[in-house]
Amino acid sequence: KSAPSLTPETPTPTAPIAPTEGLSLISQEKVFDYWFLDEEIFYVTPEGKIIKISGQNQEEVIQNTTFESLNSLIISPDGQNIAYGSGQPEQFRIFSFVENLWQPLDEKIVKLDWSPVTSTATTTPPIVYLKKNGNLYNLATYSFTTKKENLIATLAGQDINILWLTAEKILVWEKPSYYKPASLLSFNPKTKKVEVLINEQPGLMFNWSADKELVLISKSGHSIEPVLFLVNKKFETIAALPFIALPSKCAFSEDSKLIACAVPQPQAIRKKWRFPDDWLSQGINLPEAFYLTGLTEGSTTLPEQIISSNVVNTGSVKIRQGEIFFINHFDQKLYSIKVSQ
Protein backbone atom coordinates (compact mmCIF):
# COMPACT_ATOMS: atom_id res chain seq x y z
CA LYS A 1 0.00 0.00 0.00
CA SER A 2 1.08 3.56 -0.58
CA ALA A 3 1.69 6.09 2.18
CA PRO A 4 -1.30 8.14 3.36
CA SER A 5 -2.09 11.27 1.38
CA LEU A 6 -4.29 14.27 1.96
CA THR A 7 -5.15 14.69 -1.71
CA PRO A 8 -8.65 13.78 -2.99
CA GLU A 9 -8.74 10.19 -4.18
CA THR A 10 -10.14 10.98 -7.62
CA PRO A 11 -8.30 10.70 -10.94
CA THR A 12 -7.93 13.42 -13.52
CA PRO A 13 -11.10 13.34 -15.70
CA THR A 14 -10.69 11.60 -19.02
CA ALA A 15 -13.78 13.24 -20.54
CA PRO A 16 -14.18 16.64 -18.85
CA ILE A 17 -17.56 18.33 -18.73
CA ALA A 18 -17.80 22.01 -19.61
CA PRO A 19 -19.50 24.56 -17.33
CA THR A 20 -23.20 25.15 -17.87
CA GLU A 21 -25.11 28.43 -17.83
CA GLY A 22 -26.05 30.07 -14.55
CA LEU A 23 -22.57 29.79 -13.05
CA SER A 24 -20.33 32.69 -12.10
CA LEU A 25 -16.61 32.45 -12.76
CA ILE A 26 -14.67 33.61 -9.69
CA SER A 27 -10.98 32.92 -10.32
CA GLN A 28 -8.79 33.94 -13.23
CA GLU A 29 -6.26 31.15 -12.73
CA LYS A 30 -6.53 27.44 -12.00
CA VAL A 31 -7.31 26.56 -8.38
CA PHE A 32 -5.86 23.76 -6.26
CA ASP A 33 -7.89 24.79 -3.20
CA TYR A 34 -9.40 27.94 -1.68
CA TRP A 35 -10.72 29.46 1.54
CA PHE A 36 -12.51 32.53 2.88
CA LEU A 37 -10.96 35.11 5.19
CA ASP A 38 -13.28 37.94 6.25
CA GLU A 39 -14.77 39.28 3.00
CA GLU A 40 -11.96 38.03 0.78
CA ILE A 41 -11.29 34.78 -1.05
CA PHE A 42 -7.83 33.23 -1.13
CA TYR A 43 -6.76 30.43 -3.41
CA VAL A 44 -3.65 28.44 -4.22
CA THR A 45 -2.81 27.58 -7.82
CA PRO A 46 -1.63 24.08 -8.79
CA GLU A 47 1.90 25.53 -8.88
CA GLY A 48 1.61 26.85 -5.31
CA LYS A 49 1.07 30.60 -5.75
CA ILE A 50 -1.31 32.26 -3.27
CA ILE A 51 -3.80 34.72 -4.78
CA LYS A 52 -6.25 37.02 -3.00
CA ILE A 53 -9.62 37.97 -4.53
CA SER A 54 -11.25 41.13 -3.19
CA GLY A 55 -13.82 43.72 -4.29
CA GLN A 56 -15.15 43.06 -7.77
CA ASN A 57 -13.09 39.91 -8.26
CA GLN A 58 -9.83 41.89 -8.21
CA GLU A 59 -6.89 39.50 -7.91
CA GLU A 60 -3.55 40.06 -6.20
CA VAL A 61 -0.67 37.58 -5.98
CA ILE A 62 0.56 37.63 -2.38
CA GLN A 63 2.97 34.67 -2.45
CA ASN A 64 4.96 33.67 -5.52
CA THR A 65 6.65 30.50 -4.32
CA THR A 66 5.96 27.57 -6.65
CA PHE A 67 6.43 23.79 -6.47
CA GLU A 68 7.15 21.17 -9.09
CA SER A 69 4.47 18.82 -7.77
CA LEU A 70 1.88 20.13 -5.31
CA ASN A 71 0.05 17.12 -3.86
CA SER A 72 -1.91 18.39 -0.88
CA LEU A 73 -2.92 21.57 0.92
CA ILE A 74 -4.11 21.87 4.53
CA ILE A 75 -5.44 25.27 5.60
CA SER A 76 -5.63 26.28 9.27
CA PRO A 77 -9.11 27.13 10.63
CA ASP A 78 -8.21 30.83 10.94
CA GLY A 79 -6.99 30.91 7.31
CA GLN A 80 -3.62 32.35 8.36
CA ASN A 81 -1.43 29.25 7.90
CA ILE A 82 -1.05 26.74 5.08
CA ALA A 83 0.67 23.36 5.01
CA TYR A 84 1.93 22.37 1.56
CA GLY A 85 2.68 18.77 0.61
CA SER A 86 4.78 18.42 -2.53
CA GLY A 87 7.12 16.05 -4.33
CA GLN A 88 7.55 12.28 -4.35
CA PRO A 89 7.84 11.14 -1.64
CA GLU A 90 5.66 13.90 -0.27
CA GLN A 91 7.36 16.50 1.92
CA PHE A 92 5.54 19.12 3.99
CA ARG A 93 6.33 22.74 4.68
CA ILE A 94 4.28 25.48 6.30
CA PHE A 95 3.68 29.09 5.29
CA SER A 96 2.50 31.62 7.90
CA PHE A 97 0.75 34.79 6.72
CA VAL A 98 1.27 36.48 10.09
CA GLU A 99 5.00 35.77 10.27
CA ASN A 100 5.52 35.75 6.47
CA LEU A 101 7.68 32.70 7.05
CA TRP A 102 8.25 29.27 5.51
CA GLN A 103 8.98 26.34 7.83
CA PRO A 104 10.01 22.88 6.57
CA LEU A 105 8.67 19.91 8.54
CA ASP A 106 10.19 16.55 9.44
CA GLU A 107 10.57 14.49 6.27
CA LYS A 108 9.05 11.46 8.02
CA ILE A 109 5.63 13.18 8.33
CA VAL A 110 3.11 11.64 5.94
CA LYS A 111 -0.10 13.40 7.01
CA LEU A 112 -1.06 16.35 9.21
CA ASP A 113 -3.89 18.60 10.39
CA TRP A 114 -4.14 21.92 12.24
CA SER A 115 -5.33 22.53 15.77
CA PRO A 116 -8.99 23.67 15.77
CA VAL A 117 -8.27 26.10 18.62
CA THR A 118 -7.67 29.61 17.27
CA SER A 119 -4.62 31.19 18.84
CA THR A 120 -4.46 34.90 19.72
CA ALA A 121 -0.68 34.80 19.53
CA THR A 122 1.25 35.79 16.42
CA THR A 123 2.82 32.34 16.19
CA THR A 124 1.96 29.30 14.11
CA PRO A 125 -0.75 27.14 15.78
CA PRO A 126 -0.03 23.51 16.78
CA ILE A 127 -0.42 20.60 14.38
CA VAL A 128 -1.13 16.88 14.69
CA TYR A 129 0.64 14.48 12.38
CA LEU A 130 1.42 10.90 11.48
CA LYS A 131 5.18 10.28 11.32
CA LYS A 132 6.82 7.13 10.02
CA ASN A 133 8.43 4.95 12.68
CA GLY A 134 9.73 1.90 10.85
CA ASN A 135 6.63 -0.01 9.72
CA LEU A 136 4.44 1.92 12.17
CA TYR A 137 3.24 5.51 12.50
CA ASN A 138 3.55 7.83 15.48
CA LEU A 139 0.47 9.97 16.11
CA ALA A 140 1.71 13.16 17.76
CA THR A 141 1.03 16.86 18.22
CA TYR A 142 3.68 19.55 17.83
CA SER A 143 3.90 23.07 19.25
CA PHE A 144 5.79 25.65 17.18
CA THR A 145 5.99 27.82 20.29
CA THR A 146 7.70 25.29 22.59
CA LYS A 147 9.27 23.25 19.75
CA LYS A 148 8.08 20.10 21.55
CA GLU A 149 6.39 16.94 20.25
CA ASN A 150 3.67 15.19 22.25
CA LEU A 151 3.48 11.51 21.32
CA ILE A 152 -0.10 10.24 21.64
CA ALA A 153 -0.01 6.72 20.18
CA THR A 154 1.81 4.41 17.79
CA LEU A 155 -0.42 3.01 15.04
CA ALA A 156 -0.12 0.08 12.66
CA GLY A 157 -1.27 0.06 9.05
CA GLN A 158 -1.35 2.52 6.19
CA ASP A 159 -3.95 4.65 4.37
CA ILE A 160 -4.82 6.34 7.67
CA ASN A 161 -6.77 9.60 7.87
CA ILE A 162 -6.52 12.10 10.74
CA LEU A 163 -8.64 15.09 11.77
CA TRP A 164 -8.14 17.36 14.80
CA LEU A 165 -11.84 17.93 15.42
CA THR A 166 -11.87 19.66 18.83
CA ALA A 167 -9.28 20.44 21.47
CA GLU A 168 -9.98 17.06 23.12
CA LYS A 169 -10.63 14.94 20.00
CA ILE A 170 -8.23 13.82 17.31
CA LEU A 171 -10.02 11.43 14.96
CA VAL A 172 -8.31 8.53 13.20
CA TRP A 173 -9.78 6.19 10.59
CA GLU A 174 -8.63 4.08 7.67
CA LYS A 175 -9.23 4.72 3.99
CA PRO A 176 -12.93 4.08 3.20
CA SER A 177 -13.84 1.03 1.16
CA TYR A 178 -16.86 -1.11 0.34
CA TYR A 179 -14.67 -4.18 0.69
CA LYS A 180 -12.95 -3.47 4.01
CA PRO A 181 -14.71 -2.35 7.21
CA ALA A 182 -12.98 0.38 9.22
CA SER A 183 -13.44 1.99 12.63
CA LEU A 184 -13.46 5.62 13.72
CA LEU A 185 -11.24 6.25 16.75
CA SER A 186 -10.94 9.35 18.92
CA PHE A 187 -7.71 10.20 20.79
CA ASN A 188 -7.48 12.80 23.54
CA PRO A 189 -4.12 14.58 23.00
CA LYS A 190 -3.82 15.45 26.72
CA THR A 191 -4.87 12.23 28.45
CA LYS A 192 -4.00 10.00 25.43
CA LYS A 193 -7.19 8.06 26.06
CA VAL A 194 -8.68 6.35 23.01
CA GLU A 195 -12.39 5.87 22.32
CA VAL A 196 -14.07 3.84 19.56
CA LEU A 197 -16.78 6.06 18.04
CA ILE A 198 -17.81 3.75 15.19
CA ASN A 199 -16.76 0.10 15.00
CA GLU A 200 -16.06 -1.88 11.82
CA GLN A 201 -18.24 -0.19 9.21
CA PRO A 202 -17.48 -0.34 5.45
CA GLY A 203 -17.42 2.85 3.38
CA LEU A 204 -17.04 5.32 6.26
CA MET A 205 -16.69 8.93 5.09
CA PHE A 206 -17.43 12.15 7.01
CA ASN A 207 -18.04 15.88 6.67
CA TRP A 208 -18.52 18.06 9.76
CA SER A 209 -20.44 21.32 10.08
CA ALA A 210 -18.40 24.39 11.10
CA ASP A 211 -19.68 24.24 14.68
CA LYS A 212 -18.89 20.48 14.87
CA GLU A 213 -22.48 19.78 16.00
CA LEU A 214 -23.60 17.93 12.84
CA VAL A 215 -21.96 15.30 10.65
CA LEU A 216 -22.70 13.96 7.20
CA ILE A 217 -21.70 10.31 7.27
CA SER A 218 -21.81 7.72 4.50
CA LYS A 219 -21.89 3.98 4.94
CA SER A 220 -22.00 1.00 2.61
CA GLY A 221 -22.84 -2.64 3.09
CA HIS A 222 -23.06 -5.84 1.13
CA SER A 223 -26.80 -6.27 1.66
CA ILE A 224 -28.08 -2.67 1.68
CA GLU A 225 -27.93 0.26 -0.67
CA PRO A 226 -25.39 2.87 0.46
CA VAL A 227 -26.99 5.73 2.35
CA LEU A 228 -25.92 9.22 3.34
CA PHE A 229 -27.00 10.19 6.86
CA LEU A 230 -27.15 13.39 8.86
CA VAL A 231 -26.17 12.64 12.46
CA ASN A 232 -25.38 14.66 15.57
CA LYS A 233 -21.97 14.81 17.28
CA LYS A 234 -22.85 11.65 19.24
CA PHE A 235 -23.46 9.90 15.89
CA GLU A 236 -27.18 9.56 16.58
CA THR A 237 -29.14 9.61 13.32
CA ILE A 238 -31.19 12.73 12.65
CA ALA A 239 -32.29 11.96 9.09
CA ALA A 240 -31.41 10.10 5.91
CA LEU A 241 -30.65 12.16 2.83
CA PRO A 242 -32.79 11.23 -0.20
CA PHE A 243 -29.81 10.94 -2.56
CA ILE A 244 -26.36 9.40 -2.72
CA ALA A 245 -23.24 11.58 -2.73
CA LEU A 246 -19.74 11.58 -1.35
CA PRO A 247 -19.63 13.61 1.89
CA SER A 248 -16.56 15.36 0.50
CA LYS A 249 -18.79 16.77 -2.26
CA CYS A 250 -21.23 18.29 0.25
CA ALA A 251 -21.18 21.46 2.35
CA PHE A 252 -23.07 22.96 5.28
CA SER A 253 -24.24 26.57 5.27
CA GLU A 254 -22.75 28.89 7.90
CA ASP A 255 -25.75 28.32 10.21
CA SER A 256 -25.82 24.55 9.47
CA LYS A 257 -29.46 24.74 8.35
CA LEU A 258 -28.78 23.93 4.71
CA ILE A 259 -26.75 21.22 3.01
CA ALA A 260 -25.66 21.35 -0.62
CA CYS A 261 -24.34 18.23 -2.37
CA ALA A 262 -23.00 17.68 -5.86
CA VAL A 263 -24.78 14.49 -6.91
CA PRO A 264 -23.63 12.43 -9.94
CA GLN A 265 -26.27 11.94 -12.62
CA PRO A 266 -28.09 9.75 -13.31
CA GLN A 267 -28.66 8.58 -9.73
CA ALA A 268 -29.76 5.17 -11.05
CA ILE A 269 -26.10 4.38 -11.68
CA ARG A 270 -25.58 3.88 -7.95
CA LYS A 271 -27.40 0.55 -8.06
CA LYS A 272 -24.60 -0.88 -10.18
CA TRP A 273 -21.69 0.64 -8.26
CA ARG A 274 -19.88 -0.22 -5.05
CA PHE A 275 -19.81 2.77 -2.70
CA PRO A 276 -17.46 4.57 -2.25
CA ASP A 277 -14.86 2.76 -4.38
CA ASP A 278 -16.55 3.15 -7.78
CA TRP A 279 -17.67 6.69 -6.96
CA LEU A 280 -14.10 7.72 -6.19
CA SER A 281 -12.67 6.07 -9.30
CA GLN A 282 -15.45 6.61 -11.89
CA GLY A 283 -17.68 9.39 -10.57
CA ILE A 284 -15.28 12.03 -11.88
CA ASN A 285 -16.60 11.38 -15.40
CA LEU A 286 -20.28 12.00 -14.63
CA PRO A 287 -22.17 15.30 -14.80
CA GLU A 288 -23.57 16.45 -11.47
CA ALA A 289 -26.61 18.24 -10.11
CA PHE A 290 -26.55 20.39 -7.00
CA TYR A 291 -29.10 19.17 -4.48
CA LEU A 292 -30.06 21.53 -1.68
CA THR A 293 -31.68 20.20 1.45
CA GLY A 294 -32.64 21.54 4.87
CA LEU A 295 -33.67 19.87 8.10
CA THR A 296 -37.29 20.18 9.17
CA GLU A 297 -37.62 19.86 12.94
CA GLY A 298 -39.13 16.53 13.96
CA SER A 299 -38.71 15.01 10.51
CA THR A 300 -36.60 11.92 9.82
CA THR A 301 -36.45 12.62 6.08
CA LEU A 302 -34.76 15.62 4.53
CA PRO A 303 -36.60 17.36 1.67
CA GLU A 304 -34.57 17.94 -1.47
CA GLN A 305 -34.50 20.73 -4.02
CA ILE A 306 -32.53 20.48 -7.26
CA ILE A 307 -31.09 23.93 -7.87
CA SER A 308 -29.17 22.96 -11.00
CA SER A 309 -29.95 19.86 -13.02
CA ASN A 310 -26.67 19.67 -14.93
CA VAL A 311 -23.61 21.37 -13.52
CA VAL A 312 -19.97 20.47 -13.92
CA ASN A 313 -18.02 17.86 -12.02
CA THR A 314 -17.01 19.55 -8.81
CA GLY A 315 -14.56 19.62 -5.96
CA SER A 316 -14.11 21.54 -2.69
CA VAL A 317 -17.77 22.51 -2.29
CA LYS A 318 -18.54 25.33 0.18
CA ILE A 319 -21.59 27.49 1.00
CA ARG A 320 -21.14 31.16 1.89
CA GLN A 321 -23.63 34.04 2.04
CA GLY A 322 -26.25 32.35 -0.14
CA GLU A 323 -23.84 31.02 -2.77
CA ILE A 324 -22.38 27.58 -3.45
CA PHE A 325 -18.69 27.74 -4.36
CA PHE A 326 -16.80 24.89 -6.02
CA ILE A 327 -13.83 24.01 -8.20
CA ASN A 328 -14.80 22.86 -11.68
CA HIS A 329 -12.68 19.91 -12.83
CA PHE A 330 -13.22 20.90 -16.47
CA ASP A 331 -10.93 23.94 -16.27
CA GLN A 332 -9.83 23.78 -12.59
CA LYS A 333 -11.23 27.25 -11.89
CA LEU A 334 -13.43 28.48 -9.05
CA TYR A 335 -17.15 29.03 -9.72
CA SER A 336 -20.24 29.91 -7.72
CA ILE A 337 -23.98 29.46 -8.14
CA LYS A 338 -26.60 31.35 -6.15
CA VAL A 339 -28.92 29.51 -3.78
CA SER A 340 -32.59 30.54 -3.90
CA GLN A 341 -34.15 29.92 -0.48
Side-chain angles (χ1 to χ4, degrees):
K1 295 181 179 179
S2 60
S5 172
L6 292 178
T7 53
E9 299 184 47
T10 50
T12 302
T14 55
I17 302 159
T20 57
E21 295 182 4
L23 306 178
S24 298
L25 177 63
I26 304 299
S27 69
Q28 296 176 18
E29 297 195 36
K30 293 180 179 181
V31 178
F32 188 89
D33 205 355
Y34 67 100
W35 67 100
F36 304 109
L37 186 57
D38 298 325
E39 296 301 315
E40 297 171 326
I41 301 172
F42 289 78
Y43 71 89
V44 175
T45 68
E47 297 78 28
K49 291 190 300 182
I50 303 175
I51 297 177
K52 178 176 70 174
I53 304 175
S54 57
Q56 300 297 317
N57 285 5
Q58 297 297 313
E59 297 201 350
E60 175 188 358
V61 178
I62 62 173
Q63 174 56 240
N64 262 317
T65 303
T66 59
F67 303 90
E68 290 185 8
S69 175
L70 181 60
N71 302 319
S72 58
L73 199 69
I74 311 95
I75 302 155
S76 64
D78 62 5
Q80 298 285 0
N81 300 273
I82 307 174
Y84 287 76
S86 63
Q88 293 296 334
E90 189 170 32
Q91 299 293 306
F92 289 96
R93 69 197 76 185
I94 286 173
F95 177 73
S96 168
F97 282 86
V98 175
E99 300 177 274
N100 193 28
L101 180 69
W102 286 96
Q103 299 184 66
L105 298 180
D106 191 315
E107 63 181 13
K108 293 182 179 180
I109 293 175
V110 297
K111 186 165 291 189
L112 65 87
D113 195 22
W114 294 99
S115 167
V117 180
T118 302
S119 175
T120 56
T122 58
T123 56
T124 306
I127 57 174
V128 61
Y129 51 66
L130 287 174
K131 186 165 68 173
K132 287 183 69 68
N133 178 10
N135 294 325
L136 304 175
Y137 292 93
N138 288 342
L139 176 69
T141 59
Y142 181 81
S143 169
F144 291 94
T145 303
T146 64
K147 309 296 183 185
K148 292 183 178 179
E149 178 184 89
N150 170 39
L151 178 63
I152 301 170
T154 299
L155 308 175
Q158 295 184 353
D159 295 319
I160 302 172
N161 298 290
I162 58 174
L163 172 67
W164 200 339
L165 185 68
T166 67
E168 297 80 24
K169 284 188 176 183
I170 294 174
L171 304 184
V172 175
W173 70 99
E174 290 183 297
K175 175 183 176 180
S177 175
Y178 174 89
Y179 302 98
K180 182 183 178 182
S183 299
L184 177 65
L185 307 179
S186 173
F187 290 86
N188 187 311
K190 295 180 180 179
T191 66
K192 303 182 182 180
K193 178 182 177 181
V194 61
E195 179 184 2
V196 179
L197 301 180
I198 298 177
N199 187 41
E200 294 294 298
Q201 175 66 50
L204 279 178
M205 302 183 78
F206 312 93
N207 192 341
W208 270 262
S209 61
D211 60 8
K212 307 300 188 294
E213 294 293 322
L214 298 173
V215 192
L216 281 175
I217 179 172
S218 64
K219 305 175 185 179
S220 62
H222 294 275
S223 60
I224 61 171
E225 188 177 352
V227 177
L228 186 63
F229 292 100
L230 178 66
V231 302
N232 60 25
K233 61 183 179 181
K234 296 181 180 179
F235 294 95
E236 298 167 334
T237 300
I238 297 173
L241 274 71
F243 48 79
I244 306 302
L246 295 171
S248 59
K249 283 179 170 281
C250 297
F252 288 92
S253 59
E254 299 99 313
D255 60 6
S256 301
K257 293 182 179 180
L258 292 174
I259 302 169
C261 292
V263 180
Q265 303 297 304
Q267 275 280 281
I269 195 73
R270 67 178 184 261
K271 296 180 180 179
K272 301 178 182 179
W273 284 8
R274 297 292 183 265
F275 184 92
D277 305 68
D278 291 337
W279 290 66
L280 291 169
S281 63
Q282 301 181 53
I284 194 80
N285 295 313
L286 291 179
E288 293 175 333
F290 270 121
Y291 283 49
L292 187 69
T293 186
L295 178 62
T296 302
E297 188 172 354
S299 174
T300 57
T301 302
L302 293 175
E304 63 180 282
Q305 174 191 1
I306 301 177
I307 63 173
S308 180
S309 59
N310 184 28
V311 295
V312 293
N313 188 282
T314 65
S316 195
V317 179
K318 297 178 174 69
I319 304 179
R320 183 174 185 261
Q321 298 178 358
E323 289 186 87
I324 300 173
F325 291 80
F326 60 92
I327 299 172
N328 164 24
H329 284 299
F330 173 71
D331 58 7
Q332 292 184 265
K333 293 186 177 182
L334 181 63
Y335 287 80
S336 72
I337 183 170
K338 290 190 179 298
V339 175
S340 58
Q341 301 183 29

